């Protein structure tokens, strides 16, 4: 991640870049895992930073990756 951010900074685009990182919760089929509404199946990280993003918050809301499309479109104007 650091190398990618360094490359964006070197290109002079860090103030014009929304950085979004999401994790995964492993392969399906594990007990209480992916595709199930237990902590292990829903506790996936999502980190967003960039212009206009207020940092330093932890939000425990459910998020679907399809929710990100409107965010990207709004950020792009």
């Amino acid at each position: 991640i650091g190398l990618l951010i360094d490359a964006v900074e070197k290109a002079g685009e860090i103030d014009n870049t929304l950085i979004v990182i999401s994790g995964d919760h492993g392969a399906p089929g594990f007990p209480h895992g992916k595709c199930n509404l237990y902590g292990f199946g829903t506790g996936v990280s999502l980190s967003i930073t960039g212009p206009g993003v207020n940092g330093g918050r932890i939000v425990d809301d459910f998020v679907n990756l399809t929710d990100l499309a409107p965010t990207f479109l709004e950020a792009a104007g």
Side-chain angles (χ1 to χ4, degrees):
I1 295 169
L3 292 173
L4 293 172
I5 292 172
D6 288 346
V8 173
E9 286 176 337
K10 186 175 179 179
E13 294 294 333
I14 197 69
D15 292 332
N16 193 35
T17 302
L18 190 62
I19 299 171
V20 180
I21 300 169
S22 177
D24 193 355
H25 39 30
F30 291 107
H32 300 281
K34 190 175 201 172
C35 307
N36 293 289
L37 294 177
Y38 295 97
F40 180 73
T42 60
V44 178
S45 62
L46 173 65
S47 176
I48 302 174
T49 190
V53 176
N54 296 325
R57 299 183 312 141
I58 296 175
V59 179
D60 290 324
D61 296 346
F62 281 106
V63 175
N64 189 314
L65 293 182
T66 59
D67 295 332
L68 297 178
T71 301
F72 296 153
L73 292 171
E74 183 178 333

